Amino acid sequence: MEKEEVKVPKGQNEKKMSSFITRLVSGIVLLLIMLVIVPAGGMPMFIMTYLISMCGLFELYRVFGIEKKSLGLVGYITVTAYYLLVLTAHSEYFALMTILSLMALMTFYVITYPAYKISVIAKAFMCVCYAGIMLSYLYQTREMADGKFLVWLIFISSWGTDTCAYCTGMLFGKHKMTPLLSPKKTIEGAVGGVAGAALLGFIYAWFFRNHFLEVRNPAVTCALACAIAALISMVGDLTASGIKRDYGIKDYGHLIPGHGGIMDRFDSVIFTAPAIYFALTFLK
């Protein structure tokens, strides 16, 4: 008996194609912006990183329902103050600023009690560290010695891990890594992602090996840094997915057509930025 051919509605195919084109164009535009601003460094890089952080912070606060409340204002002020400290190279005040931010949030909690639950205060503070402080290491890595080349390791270890993990998982994936949080991710895919990121970091550093001034054995150093960051990038990806599942949302926003919000596109970069920065600080 012949099987009946299942026909996909024409409108559905057109919708998928339109979505793919939108995503592709947005990705190309985003890449072009990066190719202009990242090599330039300095103030353009600082402003871009700051705006990405603020947009990410707003998206997270919107999920928690505090984007327009006093707690949100404390978060915006804290991240802005932190970036000013980064810009003026006053890293000795980072801890003080973080403590003052927590004290300010606790003050709102006490004064307005019982308007806010302590869990909301914890979320507000977590977002400052998550979207604000962690992502700032994108700019701080660019400002390192050899930062013009090292900063690209953040994107290699982030987006490279995603691509390599996806391909490896499709070909060899059998064992689920986090079946409840992300059913499609596998242990085999994770191993492939880490190995692929390390290989990409090695190839990249070997190609530009004559341009490094302070990094010894750049190919090996960058491969190790990318491997470390690749492991951590998966946590970033799954963290963002977990928050969306907890609050029943598909995307964090619509700022980037076809991709969603800043948190949808930079979820793993937020984790790889500090990972690359500190890995290179110790390895080099």
Side-chain angles (χ1 to χ4, degrees):
M1 185 175 180
E2 294 182 2
K3 293 183 179 179
E4 294 183 4
E5 185 178 342
V6 179
K7 294 184 178 180
V8 180
K10 184 178 180 181
Q12 187 174 347
N13 284 331
E14 292 177 350
K15 187 177 180 181
K16 287 183 178 180
M17 180 58 67
S18 176
S19 177
F20 171 77
I21 293 174
T22 300
R23 185 178 177 87
L24 179 63
V25 171
S26 296
I28 292 173
V29 171
L30 186 63
L31 179 60
L32 290 175
I33 292 173
M34 292 290 182
L35 289 174
V36 171
I37 295 180
V38 174
M43 188 56 67
M45 184 71 179
F46 175 83
I47 293 173
M48 183 190 74
T49 309
Y50 169 72
L51 291 176
I52 292 174
S53 281
M54 292 299 285
C55 289
L57 183 63
F58 177 82
E59 290 176 356
L60 285 171
Y61 278 172
R62 184 169 55 192
V63 172
F64 300 138
I66 58 175
E67 77 278 13
K68 296 180 181 179
K69 296 184 179 180
S70 300
L71 294 180
L73 180 61
V74 173
Y76 302 140
I77 292 174
T78 299
V79 172
T80 300
Y82 176 81
Y83 268 87
L84 289 175
L85 291 175
V86 170
L87 182 63
T88 55
H90 286 297
S91 59
E92 67 272 19
Y93 296 115
F94 287 172
L96 174 61
M97 184 224 60
T98 306
I99 292 171
L100 289 176
S101 171
L102 181 58
M103 287 181 175
L105 291 171
M106 290 298 188
T107 300
F108 273 104
Y109 172 68
V110 171
I111 293 176
T112 62
Y113 188 86
Y116 296 109
K117 299 289 186 181
I118 191 64
S119 59
V120 179
I121 303 298
K123 292 172 186 175
F125 184 69
M126 180 271 290
C127 291
V128 168
C129 298
Y130 185 17
I133 295 176
M134 291 175 68
L135 191 57
S136 74
Y137 285 95
L138 179 60
Y139 168 76
Q140 295 188 64
T141 302
R142 176 61 182 85
E143 291 301 295
M144 296 175 74
D146 298 324
K148 185 176 182 180
F149 298 96
L150 295 175
V151 69
W152 292 106
L153 297 178
I154 294 173
F155 302 106
I156 290 173
S157 58
S158 175
W159 299 336
T161 300
D162 289 345
T163 302
C164 293
Y166 175 80
C167 294
T168 307
M170 287 289 291
L171 292 173
F172 308 106
K174 292 182 180 180
H175 302 87
K176 303 296 182 183
M177 186 169 66
T178 54
L180 296 179
L181 183 56
S182 187
K184 294 183 179 180
K185 294 187 183 298
T186 63
I187 295 175
E188 292 82 2
V191 173
V194 173
L199 179 60
L200 289 172
F202 182 90
I203 295 172
Y204 169 79
W206 184 84
F207 187 80
F208 291 104
R209 62 190 182 281
N210 295 326
H211 296 276
F212 290 93
L213 300 177
E214 293 195 11
V215 179
R216 296 181 179 179
N217 299 319
V220 175
T221 299
C222 292
L224 288 173
C226 283
I228 294 169
L231 284 170
I232 298 175
S233 75
M234 296 178 193
V235 178
D237 182 32
L238 292 170
T239 297
S241 298
I243 294 174
K244 288 194 289 187
R245 281 182 175 271
D246 286 345
Y247 287 85
I249 60 174
K250 182 181 179 182
D251 296 314
Y252 283 97
H254 305 284
L255 184 63
I256 308 174
H259 292 266
I262 287 294
M263 292 301 300
D264 295 294
R265 181 68 276 180
F266 288 87
D267 50 1
S268 55
V269 172
I270 290 174
F271 276 69
T272 56
I276 288 292
Y277 178 87
F278 288 110
L280 291 172
T281 298
F282 290 105
L283 288 173
K284 71 174 184 177

